[in-house]
Amino acid sequence: MDKKTYQAYIEEKKELVFEVSDKIWEYAELSLKEHKSCQLYCKVLKEEGFTVENPVAGIETAFAASFGSGSPVIGILGEYDALSGLSQKAGAAERCEILEGGNGHGCGHNMLGAGSLAAAIGIKKYLSEKPAGSGTVIFFGCPGEEGGAAKAFMARDGVWKKLDCALTWHPGDCNQVTSGTCNSCIQTEYAFQGIASHAAGNPELGRSALDAVEVMNMGVQFLREHMPQEARIHYAITDAGGVSPNVVQPHAQVLYMVRSVLAKDALALQKRVDDIAEGAALITGTRLKKKFIDGCSNTVPNKVLEELLYQNFQETGVPEYTEEELAYAKALTNSYEFHDDRLPGDAWEESPEIKAFVEKASENATKPMNDFLIPYLYSEKKTPGSTDVGDVSWLTPAAQFNTACFAAGSPGHSWQNVSCGCTSIGHKGLLCAGKVLCGTAIDLFEDPKLIEAAKEEFAEKTKIGYYCPVPEDAKPVLSGEKIEF
Ligand SMILES: [Zn+2]
């Protein structure tokens, strides 16, 4: 068995994979509305010989494409949702919208799905040459990462439990295997209904929903002093009632986001925010309705899988760039509003040796493309953001990495990322990711001890059990929709 054979097969299939990535880039569909993107994946995967299930966990734009039989069962995760307001011409180094106010792949999820597709195709080729029962690969199409947290809904419905492990990646501005953890996060929308009246003539007849939102926000401000140090609460008023001050506002809505490292702590804090909302309704004589929007758990790092990804990344190598690609990347770096000289990746923060390596390799963060692999460092450090990969990692050993798909230092969710995501730089990054995922999966199929070790580590780290942030009866929804009374 030579992993290189299957990585070469991915190379043979690269035109198909690039075409998918570029089409998804063009579709640029928002969270949970990725209908064309999902259909394209399902079509291509069927043509490639996978058995495709769609929808998954009641989510229309989620799919599961499997090949092979028996165990181990390895999951490869892909995403394909875009962001609003980021329409941008591909390959341009200046802001240039294609569609005014249109969507764009500012997080590079067109590449995320396509890189995972490349891996699935390579793994399928490997499994097709093994005796039946040697193992199964499932490529999961996970919609709504930017809003909706489909993976957490899939977690609630038992999708991840059947896996022996899961692997994924994300486009970035450097090549690194990521470690550490992040925050759990729960989003809930609270709507208040009051009674409209003339604010001067008949104020006693009115009950203000806007007052309820303000009282609730004030209550939460007081809560901040008495909550765990690492927790965070954010909010946005999504409906402030009307625009006439002489009317008592009969409706108002506020969206809350509660974060803590562990989902069980976020859930407990969430309950206190719920109580405050009820108190606000009581104080203002309004009615309250709340709607769960989404929620996700923190990630559980798995050193065994991370080391294996790193080993495969070393074997695969990183993309190399032409003079033309470097000139374009350089022009993109010149277009940033804010320049910082922060070094790429994050492993250097905890290791002086890695810091010295990254300083040298990136020429002190001045290279337009980070064309090197950052040494791996296991970490339990927490980053403040959240991802629904967390819920996968509480139910099966999981690991992830980044490949350079964007110019060095490119801001997250930016037009620069959209521009780069449909160029040869993006193609190189996603193909590299596909090969690393494929090589890692083959190692796992070949050596059952690796999965055993990953599972042992996983069992130790998840022994408190999984606290699903998604309620039993919740359905995937997006925030901002008006709650009806
Ligand atoms: Zn993303």
Side-chain angles (χ1 to χ4, degrees):
M1 192 281 313
D2 183 7
K3 277 187 278 185
K4 290 253 176 305
T5 313
Y6 306 102
Q7 291 176 327
Y9 183 68
I10 290 178
E11 195 72 37
E12 269 176 50
K13 292 288 225 178
K14 71 179 178 190
E15 292 312 324
L16 170 71
V17 174
F18 294 164
E19 199 188 315
V20 168
S21 178
D22 294 353
K23 271 194 186 158
I24 305 285
W25 182 91
E26 211 181 292
Y27 297 159
E29 296 169 295
L30 297 180
S31 295
L32 304 177
K33 294 177 180 163
E34 314 93 330
H35 294 280
K36 276 158 70 179
S37 307
C38 175
Q39 274 165 23
L40 176 64
Y41 273 114
C42 291
K43 178 178 162 280
V44 168
L45 285 155
K46 273 182 203 155
E47 283 166 6
E48 287 297 315
F50 287 80
T51 304
V52 180
E53 183 193 335
N54 163 247
V56 172
I59 307 166
E60 268 178 56
T61 53
F63 66 84
S66 55
F67 183 83
S69 59
S71 60
V73 183
I74 295 176
I76 305 287
L77 316 180
E79 298 165 11
Y80 32 82
D81 55 338
L83 293 154
S84 62
L86 281 176
S87 168
Q88 166 66 29
K89 195 173 153 211
E94 66 284 317
R95 182 73 172 117
C96 178
E97 280 187 299
I98 301 175
L99 185 70
E100 210 188 310
N103 309 328
H105 272 287
C107 205
H109 294 180
N110 61 307
M111 294 174 278
L112 206 175
S116 297
L117 169 71
I121 288 173
I123 299 166
K124 190 211 138 195
K125 173 82 175 156
Y126 160 80
L127 285 176
S128 67
E129 291 169 5
K130 300 282 284 184
S134 299
T136 309
V137 60
I138 312 179
F139 173 29
F140 288 96
C142 308
E145 198 280 330
E146 303 291 359
K151 292 185 201 76
F153 283 87
M154 291 156 93
R156 181 196 62 184
D157 291 3
V159 171
W160 312 118
K161 267 195 260 171
K162 61 184 173 198
L163 299 182
D164 288 294
C165 65
L167 301 171
T168 190
W169 74 290
H170 199 290
D173 78 334
C174 63
N175 301 294
Q176 64 170 355
V177 174
T178 47
S179 192
T181 187
C182 58
N183 265 325
S184 295
C185 181
I186 302 169
Q187 285 201 88
T188 312
E189 195 131 36
Y190 299 87
F192 295 91
Q193 192 180 45
I195 302 166
S197 72
H198 193 298
N202 309 97
E204 73 284 3
L205 300 179
R207 298 290 180 269
S208 171
L210 180 58
D211 285 359
V213 165
E214 290 194 81
V215 170
M216 176 180 176
N217 289 350
M218 214 191 299
V220 173
Q221 313 308 7
F222 280 107
L223 170 66
R224 293 180 200 275
E225 193 188 343
H226 308 285
M227 62 186 211
Q229 185 72 10
E230 71 287 354
R232 297 282 182 275
I233 303 182
H234 326 292
Y235 69 95
I237 298 176
T238 51
D239 173 21
V243 292
S244 309
N246 56 352
V247 175
V248 171
Q249 309 303 339
H251 55 83
Q253 224 168 269
V254 60
L255 175 64
Y256 265 87
M257 199 179 244
V258 171
R259 297 189 205 252
S260 202
V261 179
L262 295 174
K264 83 175 178 37
D265 298 331
L267 284 162
L269 190 57
Q270 170 64 46
K271 172 78 182 65
R272 294 174 73 187
V273 175
D274 284 353
D275 290 346
I276 290 172
E278 280 177 28
L282 205 59
I283 289 169
T284 54
T286 54
R287 286 204 290 149
L288 166 71
K289 263 195 185 174
K290 62 167 189 156
K291 185 155 83 175
F292 170 84
I293 301 297
D294 63 26
C296 53
S297 301
N298 63 317
T299 46
V300 181
N302 192 289
K303 192 167 182 255
V304 172
L305 292 181
E306 286 169 0
E307 278 174 346
L308 192 64
L309 278 173
Y310 182 64
Q311 200 182 308
N312 275 277
F313 213 151
Q314 282 180 307
E315 288 167 19
T316 304
V318 298
E320 287 171 17
Y321 305 101
T322 63
E323 285 302 317
E324 204 185 330
E325 285 165 341
L326 290 173
Y328 160 66
K330 181 76 201 155
L332 278 178
T333 64
N334 287 337
S335 74
Y336 303 158
E337 300 252 351
F338 301 104
H339 277 271
D340 67 22
D341 44 12
R342 204 187 137 78
L343 292 171
D346 45 25
W348 56 267
E349 290 172 18
E350 292 176 278
S351 156
E353 293 77 31
I354 296 181
K355 187 166 186 231
F357 171 90
V358 175
E359 274 169 348
K360 191 159 179 257
S362 69
E363 294 168 1
N364 288 312
T366 59
K367 272 192 180 174
M369 288 301 302
N370 291 315
D371 55 355
F372 50 89
L373 175 62
I374 297 176
Y376 167 68
L377 184 74
Y378 174 75
S379 170
E380 291 187 1
K381 197 180 66 183
K382 186 199 83 176
T383 50
S386 307
T387 165
D388 63 356
V389 175
D391 296 87
V392 183
S393 73
W394 274 93
L395 293 166
T396 189
Q400 46 186 335
F401 63 102
N402 303 130
T403 68
C405 293
F406 306 128
S410 191
H413 295 189
S414 62
W415 65 260
Q416 287 91 346
N417 285 355
V418 184
S419 171
C420 207
C422 190
T423 66
S424 54
I425 292 178
H427 290 166
K428 287 179 179 179
L430 75 89
L431 205 68
C432 172
K435 289 178 186 173
V436 174
L437 287 168
C438 174
T440 306
I442 292 175
D443 282 342
L444 291 167
F445 283 120
E446 289 289 317
D447 185 357
K449 281 202 199 75
L450 288 168
I451 290 185
E452 252 169 61
K455 281 186 169 173
E456 220 169 277
E457 182 184 345
F458 167 79
E460 177 57 32
K461 286 180 173 163
T462 56
K463 61 182 177 212
I464 64 158
Y466 173 56
Y467 288 77
C468 184
V470 181
E472 269 311 308
D473 56 348
K475 288 196 168 63
V477 280
L478 287 175
S479 61
E481 282 169 20
K482 219 167 152 222
I483 299 173
E484 298 298 332
F485 277 83

